[in-house]
Amino acid sequence: MHILELPRTPDDGRSYQLCRAASGLLCLLISDPAADAASCVVQFGVGSHDEPAHLPGLAHLLEHMLFMGSAGYPQAGSFPQLVSKWSGRFNASTAAERTRYHFSVNPAGLEACFAQLTDMLVAPLFAPEAVAAERQVIDAEFHTRLADDALHEQAALGQVFHPAHPLSRFSAGNLTSLHLEPPALAQALRQFHGQHYRAPNGCVLIHAPLPMEQLMLQAGKLAERLPAEAPAPRVSTGPLFSPQHLPGLLRWQSRGQHEQWLLLFALDDVHSPEDAKALRWLCEWLASPAPAGGLGWLRAQGLAAQLRVSTQRYAGQQTLLRIELEPLIEASAYPALLSGFFGWLDALRATPIHDWPQGGRQQLADQAFANGPQGDPPLRWLTALAERTLYAPPEQILESTGQWADLSESAWHKLLAQIKPAHLLLAQSQSDGTDLSQQAAWTDTRFNWNRISWQPAASSLNILAEASWPIWTVTAPEPAFCGVTGGVPGLRKIPQASAGQGRDTTRFAWCWPAGVQGREQRERLIARWSLQLEPLSNWASACGISLLWQETADLVSLELLGPEEMLWIGASAALAAMTQQPDIALQRLVEHRHAKTLDERRHALPAYRLLDELDVLLNPTTNQAMQTTEADPAEAQMAWLHPQDWSPERLQSLTAHLHALCPQLSQAFHWLPPESRRVEKGTEIILVDCQHADRAQILYCQASGDSVFERACWQLLQQHISASFFDQLRTRQRLGYWVVARYHEVAGTPGLMLLVQSPSHDHEQVEAAMIAWMESEQARLATLPFTQVQQQAQRLADHLRTQSTSPAGQLELHWARGLGLSGASINDQCIALEHLTPEQWQQTLQEWLVQPRRLHLFSQPV
C-alpha cells in the first residue's frame, strides 16, 4: 500500500487513511471508535455508458449476477444470508458511469462479509441457467419501473440528447434488449466484467470501529485479487445535446399527477478548480429559498414551489446542469417562468462578487470540515465519498481546502455566459398524453419536442439586495434568563451526556394526547415548519448542522445534530423561525406541498401503498378522516433532549422560544406512548386500492404480547428466516423484484412482515408460494439444532449491545427512557437472548406458524 497524503483530516475522533495498492486500487479507510456498525462501499468506474450498444442493460445485469454465485461461494443468493447472520443490510446500484456495491453489518461480521464480497467481485460464475433466471428478474424490475417517472423522463430526454451520446440510449434492460441465448449472454457478461472490474478502475471504502491495520488488511485482500491492468480509457462522448434541439421545449407524459419541469444546460469545461468553485457558488444561489436566491425569487413571483439543482460530469468535457422545478403555474405559462428565471440570473450577474462574504462562507466550510460529517448514515456518507475517491484528486476527497474563498470573477462570468436562453432545454411532464404525438422506444413514453416560442426581455442592471441574499451568517442570541422555566411543567427536559468528537444533538418533540391530532394534521404542521426553516438550510448545511423531521403516531419531532459550538445557535434560530405567523404565500406553499404528499401516497407503488395502509391499521390514531387544518402546537406537550452541559442561560433562552410555540405548556407532562392495535387470532384479509398494475402482498403476523423476551425472540426469528424467504421467492422462483421478510415493531409490539411485489405473477401464485415456504420453514426450523439458535441469538445480542453502546445508541436509549418508549429495554432484550430457552423459542414459532395473529394485505388495481 502506498500512502497518499491528505492535506488535512477532520478533527472528529476518526482516523482517515487514503492509499493506493500496488494493483492500482484506491482505498479510503476510516477507523471510527464511535461507529456502531462496519460499513463498506466498493465502486467501479463502469456503468451503462460502457456497455455494448447492442446489449442495453448488460451493466445492470452484471451487477445482479455478482450475487448469483462465485468461485468460493457457489450458492446463488448466499450473500444476503451471510449479511442477515451479522444483522446487516446490503445493496448495489448501476448508474451511467459507475457501479456500486455496499453493505453494513455488525463489526464482528466485517471480515466474513468482505471476504465473500471480494470473491463475488473477482470470480463470479456466470452460470448460463443463473443468467437466464436473473434476466427474468431484470425484466420484472423493468416492468415495475414503468410506473416510475424517472424512467420515462430518461426515455423522453434520450430523444433530444445527441444520438452519439450514451444518454440517448436505453439502459435499464429487459428480456428484449438482453436477447442473446443464455450461454452467449454469459460470455458477454464475462467479457464485460473482465474489461472493467480491474483495480485501477475501482475504489474501496471501509468505515468501522476497528484498528486501521485491520481495515488495511481487508482492503489489501481485495486489491491483491483484482487484475492490475488498467481498462481502456473511456472515449469522449462529444456534445450532450443535438444542436437542432436547442433551445427546445420537450413535453412528456408522466405517471403521476404533479408536474415537474426541468431546465437543462450543457456546460463546457467547468472542471478546473476555479471553474468548479464558480459552479458550486451558482448551485448554492440557485437552491436558496432566501428572497435573492433562485428558489426564493421564483416563489415570490408565484412561479415555482420547489427547486433542486444538481450537476453531472460525463466523459469528455461537458457537464449537465439540471434544475428541477415544481411549478405553480400552468404548462402553457412557461414563458413567465423563463422570464422570472433569466431575470433573476441577470440580477445575479449584476451583483458584484467581491461584496459576497466569501471569507465567512469559507470559514463555515472549514469549521464543518474540522468537525467531520454530521447526521449522515454511514452508507450514505460513504457512497458520496466513493464518488470523489474515484474521480477527484486526494486534496478534494474530503473537501478540505479552498472551496469558497477567492472566487475568480472571470470564471464566474464565463460560467454565467453559458446559461443563456439559446442553450436551454425545458422539459415538462404532464399526466395527459393525448396531445403528445411521438412515442419513445422501449418504454412507450409519449412526448413532443418544439422550438421554444419565447424571447427574453432586455437585461436589467438591478442587483440583488444584500439584505435578501442567502443566509450565510447567523448571530448568536444573547443568553438570558427569561423567567419561564417554572411555568412550563408540560415541557419534559431530557439532558444527555455529550457524544464527544465535537458533535452534539438536540431533539424537540411535540406530543399530543391519543386521538387529538390526525396524521394529515401533523404532516401539515411539518410542511409549514420545514418551509419556515428552509432559509436557514444553506447556513446550517455550511456549518455542519443537519435537521431531521419525523412524524409518528401522536408525535412530531425535530432533531438537530452538529458542532457543539454552533448547535444551540442553530436551535435558537430554528425555533425563532418557527414562531413566525405564516403569510398567504407560505400557506399556499404548505397546501401545495401537502397536496403533493397525498398524491404521491395515492400513486405509490403497491408495496409502498400496503406499507402505508399497514401503518394506518396498526396505529389507530392515524386512521382519521381527511383533516384540512394543521396540528395545533398549543394542544401539545413537549419533550426536549439537549446536551447536559448547556448552561442555564442557553436553556432559558430556548425555553422561551418553546413557550412561544406552545403557550399552553402549563399542565404537568402526562403524555403516554400510543398503543398499537391488537390483531385477533386468525387471518384478516384486507384489500388496498392501488394505481399500479403490479401485484403486492404483505402478510403481517403480530406477537401475542410486547414483553422483553417476545421482542427479542421475534427479532431472532427474522434473522433465521429473512435470507431463506428471499432465496426461495426471489432467487429461485423469481416471483418478483421486491421480496423481503423483516421484523416490524409498532408501538413496542413485535411482529414479522413478509412482502412480495410482482409484475409477473398473480395473487394466487404468490400466496401459494408464501404458504409453501412457511410450511417448509416450519419443517426446517423444527429440526434446527438449538445450539445454532443460541449462536445466532448471541450474535444478535452482541449486535444490539454494540448499537446501544455507541453514541447514537446511547442517545436513543436515553430518549426512550425519558419518554417511556420500548427502546429503553435493549439491555434486557440482550439478556433475554443470551438466556433463551428451547421453550421460549418453540413458543415464538408456535405464535408465528400455528396460532397466528395475521393481517394479509392484497393490492387491487383501480
Side-chain angles (χ1 to χ4, degrees), residues 749-790:
T749 301
L752 195 68
M753 180 185 72
L754 308 177
L755 182 153
V756 176
Q757 179 172 309
S758 176
S760 54
H761 293 72
D762 59 32
H763 280 308
E764 289 76 13
Q765 292 172 305
V766 174
E767 184 178 12
M770 280 187 174
I771 294 172
W773 171 80
M774 285 190 290
E775 291 174 350
S776 68
E777 279 300 284
Q778 185 173 9
R780 183 181 72 87
L781 293 174
T783 59
L784 188 68
F786 187 65
T787 54
Q788 292 187 26
V789 177
Q790 288 178 306

Short mmCIF file of all heavy atoms in Angstrom, two decimals, residues 749-790:
data_model
loop_
_atom_site.label_atom_id
_atom_site.label_comp_id
_atom_site.label_asym_id
_atom_site.label_seq_id
_atom_site.Cartn_x
_atom_site.Cartn_y
_atom_site.Cartn_z
N THR A 749 -44.91 -3.26 20.11
CA THR A 749 -45.43 -4.61 19.88
C THR A 749 -44.69 -5.24 18.71
O THR A 749 -44.71 -4.71 17.61
CB THR A 749 -46.94 -4.58 19.59
OG1 THR A 749 -47.62 -3.98 20.71
CG2 THR A 749 -47.48 -5.99 19.38
N PRO A 750 -44.04 -6.40 18.93
CA PRO A 750 -43.25 -7.00 17.85
C PRO A 750 -44.13 -7.70 16.83
O PRO A 750 -45.27 -8.10 17.12
CB PRO A 750 -42.36 -8.00 18.58
CG PRO A 750 -43.12 -8.36 19.82
CD PRO A 750 -43.90 -7.13 20.19
N GLY A 751 -43.60 -7.84 15.63
CA GLY A 751 -44.28 -8.54 14.56
C GLY A 751 -43.31 -8.88 13.45
O GLY A 751 -42.15 -8.46 13.47
N LEU A 752 -43.80 -9.62 12.50
CA LEU A 752 -43.00 -10.04 11.36
C LEU A 752 -43.79 -9.78 10.09
O LEU A 752 -45.00 -10.02 10.05
CB LEU A 752 -42.66 -11.52 11.47
CG LEU A 752 -41.56 -12.06 10.57
CD1 LEU A 752 -40.22 -11.47 11.00
CD2 LEU A 752 -41.51 -13.58 10.66
N MET A 753 -43.12 -9.28 9.06
CA MET A 753 -43.79 -8.90 7.83
C MET A 753 -43.12 -9.57 6.65
O MET A 753 -41.90 -9.50 6.49
CB MET A 753 -43.73 -7.37 7.66
CG MET A 753 -44.40 -6.85 6.43
SD MET A 753 -44.13 -5.08 6.29
CE MET A 753 -42.39 -5.05 5.84
N LEU A 754 -43.93 -10.23 5.83
CA LEU A 754 -43.47 -10.80 4.57
C LEU A 754 -44.07 -9.98 3.44
O LEU A 754 -45.29 -9.81 3.38
CB LEU A 754 -43.92 -12.26 4.43
CG LEU A 754 -43.60 -13.21 5.59
CD1 LEU A 754 -44.18 -14.58 5.30
CD2 LEU A 754 -42.10 -13.29 5.82
N LEU A 755 -43.23 -9.48 2.55
CA LEU A 755 -43.69 -8.60 1.47
C LEU A 755 -43.19 -9.12 0.14
O LEU A 755 -42.00 -9.45 0.01
CB LEU A 755 -43.19 -7.16 1.71
CG LEU A 755 -43.61 -6.08 0.72
CD1 LEU A 755 -43.60 -4.72 1.40
CD2 LEU A 755 -42.69 -6.01 -0.51
N VAL A 756 -44.08 -9.15 -0.84
CA VAL A 756 -43.72 -9.50 -2.21
C VAL A 756 -44.45 -8.56 -3.16
O VAL A 756 -45.66 -8.35 -3.00
CB VAL A 756 -44.10 -10.96 -2.57
CG1 VAL A 756 -43.78 -11.25 -4.03
CG2 VAL A 756 -43.38 -11.94 -1.66
N GLN A 757 -43.73 -7.98 -4.10
CA GLN A 757 -44.36 -7.23 -5.19
C GLN A 757 -43.93 -7.87 -6.49
O GLN A 757 -42.75 -8.11 -6.72
CB GLN A 757 -43.97 -5.76 -5.18
CG GLN A 757 -44.59 -4.98 -6.34
CD GLN A 757 -44.36 -3.48 -6.24
OE1 GLN A 757 -44.61 -2.87 -5.22
NE2 GLN A 757 -43.88 -2.88 -7.32
N SER A 758 -44.91 -8.17 -7.36
CA SER A 758 -44.62 -8.90 -8.59
C SER A 758 -45.35 -8.30 -9.78
O SER A 758 -46.56 -8.05 -9.70
CB SER A 758 -45.04 -10.37 -8.43
OG SER A 758 -44.85 -11.06 -9.64
N PRO A 759 -44.64 -8.08 -10.89
CA PRO A 759 -45.31 -7.67 -12.13
C PRO A 759 -45.73 -8.86 -12.99
O PRO A 759 -46.43 -8.69 -13.98
CB PRO A 759 -44.24 -6.85 -12.84
CG PRO A 759 -42.97 -7.52 -12.44
CD PRO A 759 -43.18 -8.02 -11.03
N SER A 760 -45.30 -10.07 -12.60
CA SER A 760 -45.45 -11.22 -13.49
C SER A 760 -46.31 -12.34 -12.95
O SER A 760 -46.73 -13.22 -13.70
CB SER A 760 -44.06 -11.78 -13.82
OG SER A 760 -43.35 -12.07 -12.62
N HIS A 761 -46.62 -12.36 -11.65
CA HIS A 761 -47.38 -13.44 -11.05
C HIS A 761 -48.62 -12.88 -10.37
O HIS A 761 -48.59 -11.78 -9.79
CB HIS A 761 -46.54 -14.21 -10.03
CG HIS A 761 -45.40 -14.96 -10.65
ND1 HIS A 761 -44.28 -14.33 -11.16
CD2 HIS A 761 -45.19 -16.29 -10.87
CE1 HIS A 761 -43.44 -15.22 -11.64
NE2 HIS A 761 -43.97 -16.43 -11.49
N ASP A 762 -49.71 -13.67 -10.40
CA ASP A 762 -50.95 -13.19 -9.79
C ASP A 762 -50.95 -13.49 -8.30
O ASP A 762 -50.06 -14.17 -7.76
CB ASP A 762 -52.17 -13.81 -10.48
CG ASP A 762 -52.18 -15.34 -10.43
OD1 ASP A 762 -51.67 -15.91 -9.44
OD2 ASP A 762 -52.70 -15.95 -11.39
N HIS A 763 -51.99 -12.98 -7.61
CA HIS A 763 -52.04 -13.11 -6.16
C HIS A 763 -52.08 -14.58 -5.73
O HIS A 763 -51.48 -14.95 -4.71
CB HIS A 763 -53.25 -12.37 -5.61
CG HIS A 763 -53.04 -10.89 -5.48
ND1 HIS A 763 -51.96 -10.35 -4.82
CD2 HIS A 763 -53.77 -9.84 -5.93
CE1 HIS A 763 -52.03 -9.03 -4.86
NE2 HIS A 763 -53.12 -8.69 -5.53
N GLU A 764 -52.81 -15.39 -6.47
CA GLU A 764 -52.93 -16.80 -6.08
C GLU A 764 -51.57 -17.49 -6.10
O GLU A 764 -51.23 -18.27 -5.20
CB GLU A 764 -53.90 -17.52 -7.03
CG GLU A 764 -55.36 -17.13 -6.86
CD GLU A 764 -55.67 -15.77 -7.48
OE1 GLU A 764 -54.81 -15.25 -8.26
OE2 GLU A 764 -56.75 -15.22 -7.19
N GLN A 765 -50.75 -17.19 -7.12
CA GLN A 765 -49.43 -17.80 -7.21
C GLN A 765 -48.52 -17.34 -6.07
O GLN A 765 -47.80 -18.15 -5.47
CB GLN A 765 -48.80 -17.47 -8.56
CG GLN A 765 -49.49 -18.12 -9.75
CD GLN A 765 -48.95 -17.59 -11.07
OE1 GLN A 765 -48.95 -16.38 -11.32
NE2 GLN A 765 -48.49 -18.48 -11.92
N VAL A 766 -48.55 -16.04 -5.78
CA VAL A 766 -47.70 -15.51 -4.73
C VAL A 766 -48.14 -16.06 -3.37
O VAL A 766 -47.31 -16.48 -2.54
CB VAL A 766 -47.72 -13.98 -4.73
CG1 VAL A 766 -46.96 -13.43 -3.53
CG2 VAL A 766 -47.11 -13.44 -6.03
N GLU A 767 -49.45 -16.06 -3.14
CA GLU A 767 -49.96 -16.57 -1.85
C GLU A 767 -49.61 -18.04 -1.68
O GLU A 767 -49.19 -18.47 -0.59
CB GLU A 767 -51.48 -16.37 -1.79
CG GLU A 767 -52.07 -16.77 -0.45
CD GLU A 767 -53.57 -16.52 -0.38
OE1 GLU A 767 -54.17 -16.25 -1.45
OE2 GLU A 767 -54.12 -16.60 0.73
N ALA A 768 -49.76 -18.82 -2.74
CA ALA A 768 -49.42 -20.24 -2.65
C ALA A 768 -47.94 -20.43 -2.34
O ALA A 768 -47.55 -21.31 -1.56
CB ALA A 768 -49.78 -20.94 -3.96
N ALA A 769 -47.08 -19.59 -2.95
CA ALA A 769 -45.65 -19.69 -2.69
C ALA A 769 -45.33 -19.31 -1.25
O ALA A 769 -44.46 -19.94 -0.61
CB ALA A 769 -44.89 -18.78 -3.66
N MET A 770 -46.00 -18.31 -0.71
CA MET A 770 -45.79 -17.93 0.69
C MET A 770 -46.17 -19.08 1.62
O MET A 770 -45.42 -19.41 2.56
CB MET A 770 -46.63 -16.70 1.03
CG MET A 770 -46.06 -15.36 0.60
SD MET A 770 -47.08 -14.03 1.28
CE MET A 770 -46.14 -12.58 0.80
N ILE A 771 -47.32 -19.68 1.37
CA ILE A 771 -47.79 -20.78 2.23
C ILE A 771 -46.83 -21.96 2.16
O ILE A 771 -46.45 -22.54 3.18
CB ILE A 771 -49.21 -21.19 1.82
CG1 ILE A 771 -50.20 -20.05 2.13
CG2 ILE A 771 -49.63 -22.46 2.55
CD1 ILE A 771 -51.59 -20.28 1.59
N ALA A 772 -46.41 -22.30 0.94
CA ALA A 772 -45.47 -23.43 0.77
C ALA A 772 -44.16 -23.14 1.48
O ALA A 772 -43.57 -24.03 2.11
CB ALA A 772 -45.25 -23.70 -0.71
N TRP A 773 -43.70 -21.89 1.38
CA TRP A 773 -42.44 -21.54 2.03
C TRP A 773 -42.58 -21.65 3.55
O TRP A 773 -41.68 -22.18 4.23
CB TRP A 773 -42.01 -20.12 1.64
CG TRP A 773 -40.85 -19.64 2.45
CD1 TRP A 773 -39.53 -19.94 2.26
CD2 TRP A 773 -40.91 -18.81 3.61
NE1 TRP A 773 -38.76 -19.34 3.23
CE2 TRP A 773 -39.57 -18.64 4.06
CE3 TRP A 773 -41.94 -18.18 4.31
CZ2 TRP A 773 -39.27 -17.88 5.19
CZ3 TRP A 773 -41.64 -17.43 5.43
CH2 TRP A 773 -40.31 -17.27 5.87
N MET A 774 -43.69 -21.17 4.12
CA MET A 774 -43.87 -21.24 5.57
C MET A 774 -43.93 -22.69 6.05
O MET A 774 -43.41 -23.02 7.12
CB MET A 774 -45.12 -20.47 5.99
CG MET A 774 -44.92 -18.96 5.96
SD MET A 774 -46.25 -18.00 6.72
CE MET A 774 -47.55 -18.26 5.54
N GLU A 775 -44.55 -23.54 5.25
CA GLU A 775 -44.57 -24.95 5.62
C GLU A 775 -43.17 -25.55 5.61
O GLU A 775 -42.80 -26.32 6.52
CB GLU A 775 -45.48 -25.72 4.66
CG GLU A 775 -46.97 -25.37 4.82
CD GLU A 775 -47.83 -26.04 3.76
OE1 GLU A 775 -47.25 -26.61 2.80
OE2 GLU A 775 -49.06 -25.96 3.87
N SER A 776 -42.38 -25.18 4.61
CA SER A 776 -41.01 -25.69 4.56
C SER A 776 -40.17 -25.11 5.70
O SER A 776 -39.31 -25.80 6.26
CB SER A 776 -40.36 -25.37 3.20
OG SER A 776 -40.16 -23.97 3.06
N GLU A 777 -40.42 -23.86 6.05
CA GLU A 777 -39.68 -23.25 7.17
C GLU A 777 -40.05 -23.90 8.49
O GLU A 777 -39.21 -24.07 9.37
CB GLU A 777 -39.98 -21.74 7.23
CG GLU A 777 -39.19 -20.92 6.26
CD GLU A 777 -37.68 -21.05 6.47
OE1 GLU A 777 -37.15 -20.45 7.43
OE2 GLU A 777 -37.04 -21.78 5.69
N GLN A 778 -41.34 -24.24 8.62
CA GLN A 778 -41.75 -24.91 9.85
C GLN A 778 -40.98 -26.21 10.02
O GLN A 778 -40.50 -26.54 11.12
CB GLN A 778 -43.25 -25.17 9.81
CG GLN A 778 -43.79 -25.77 11.10
CD GLN A 778 -45.31 -25.87 11.09
OE1 GLN A 778 -45.94 -25.65 10.07
NE2 GLN A 778 -45.89 -26.18 12.24
N ALA A 779 -40.84 -26.96 8.92
CA ALA A 779 -40.10 -28.22 8.98
C ALA A 779 -38.62 -27.97 9.23
O ALA A 779 -37.97 -28.69 10.02
CB ALA A 779 -40.30 -29.00 7.69
N ARG A 780 -38.06 -26.96 8.57
CA ARG A 780 -36.63 -26.69 8.73
C ARG A 780 -36.30 -26.24 10.15
O ARG A 780 -35.34 -26.71 10.77
CB ARG A 780 -36.18 -25.63 7.74
CG ARG A 780 -34.69 -25.32 7.78
CD ARG A 780 -34.31 -24.23 6.77
NE ARG A 780 -34.77 -22.92 7.18
CZ ARG A 780 -34.07 -22.11 7.99
NH1 ARG A 780 -32.91 -22.50 8.50
NH2 ARG A 780 -34.56 -20.92 8.29
N LEU A 781 -37.09 -25.30 10.67
CA LEU A 781 -36.81 -24.77 12.00
C LEU A 781 -37.06 -25.81 13.08
O LEU A 781 -36.43 -25.76 14.15
CB LEU A 781 -37.66 -23.52 12.25
CG LEU A 781 -37.33 -22.31 11.37
CD1 LEU A 781 -38.33 -21.19 11.59
CD2 LEU A 781 -35.92 -21.81 11.63
N ALA A 782 -37.98 -26.75 12.81
CA ALA A 782 -38.26 -27.78 13.80
C ALA A 782 -37.07 -28.70 14.00
O ALA A 782 -36.87 -29.26 15.09
CB ALA A 782 -39.49 -28.58 13.38
N THR A 783 -36.28 -28.87 12.96
CA THR A 783 -35.11 -29.77 13.04
C THR A 783 -33.80 -29.01 13.26
O THR A 783 -32.73 -29.63 13.32
CB THR A 783 -34.99 -30.60 11.75
OG1 THR A 783 -34.86 -29.71 10.62
CG2 THR A 783 -36.24 -31.45 11.55
N LEU A 784 -33.86 -27.70 13.36
CA LEU A 784 -32.65 -26.90 13.55
C LEU A 784 -32.10 -27.12 14.96
O LEU A 784 -32.82 -26.92 15.94
CB LEU A 784 -32.97 -25.41 13.34
CG LEU A 784 -31.80 -24.44 13.31
CD1 LEU A 784 -30.94 -24.67 12.07
CD2 LEU A 784 -32.31 -22.99 13.34
N PRO A 785 -30.86 -27.55 15.09
CA PRO A 785 -30.30 -27.75 16.43
C PRO A 785 -30.37 -26.46 17.25
O PRO A 785 -30.07 -25.37 16.74
CB PRO A 785 -28.84 -28.15 16.16
CG PRO A 785 -28.86 -28.69 14.75
CD PRO A 785 -29.90 -27.90 14.03
N PHE A 786 -30.77 -26.61 18.51
CA PHE A 786 -30.94 -25.42 19.33
C PHE A 786 -29.61 -24.71 19.56
O PHE A 786 -29.58 -23.49 19.81
CB PHE A 786 -31.59 -25.79 20.67
CG PHE A 786 -31.95 -24.59 21.51
CD1 PHE A 786 -32.92 -23.70 21.09
CD2 PHE A 786 -31.27 -24.34 22.69
CE1 PHE A 786 -33.24 -22.57 21.85
CE2 PHE A 786 -31.57 -23.22 23.46
CZ PHE A 786 -32.57 -22.33 23.04
N THR A 787 -28.51 -25.42 19.43
CA THR A 787 -27.20 -24.76 19.58
C THR A 787 -27.01 -23.70 18.49
O THR A 787 -26.41 -22.65 18.75
CB THR A 787 -26.07 -25.79 19.49
OG1 THR A 787 -26.21 -26.55 18.28
CG2 THR A 787 -26.09 -26.71 20.69
N GLN A 788 -27.52 -23.96 17.27
CA GLN A 788 -27.43 -22.95 16.21
C GLN A 788 -28.32 -21.75 16.52
O GLN A 788 -27.96 -20.61 16.23
CB GLN A 788 -27.83 -23.58 14.87
CG GLN A 788 -26.84 -24.61 14.35
CD GLN A 788 -27.19 -25.08 12.95
OE1 GLN A 788 -27.83 -24.36 12.17
NE2 GLN A 788 -26.77 -26.29 12.61
N VAL A 789 -29.48 -22.02 17.09
CA VAL A 789 -30.36 -20.92 17.50
C VAL A 789 -29.66 -20.07 18.56
O VAL A 789 -29.68 -18.83 18.51
CB VAL A 789 -31.69 -21.47 18.05
CG1 VAL A 789 -32.59 -20.32 18.55
CG2 VAL A 789 -32.41 -22.29 16.98
N GLN A 790 -29.02 -20.72 19.51
CA GLN A 790 -28.31 -19.99 20.56
C GLN A 790 -27.16 -19.16 19.99
O GLN A 790 -26.92 -18.03 20.44
CB GLN A 790 -27.78 -20.97 21.60
CG GLN A 790 -28.85 -21.59 22.49
CD GLN A 790 -28.27 -22.59 23.46
OE1 GLN A 790 -27.57 -23.52 23.04
NE2 GLN A 790 -28.54 -22.42 24.75
#
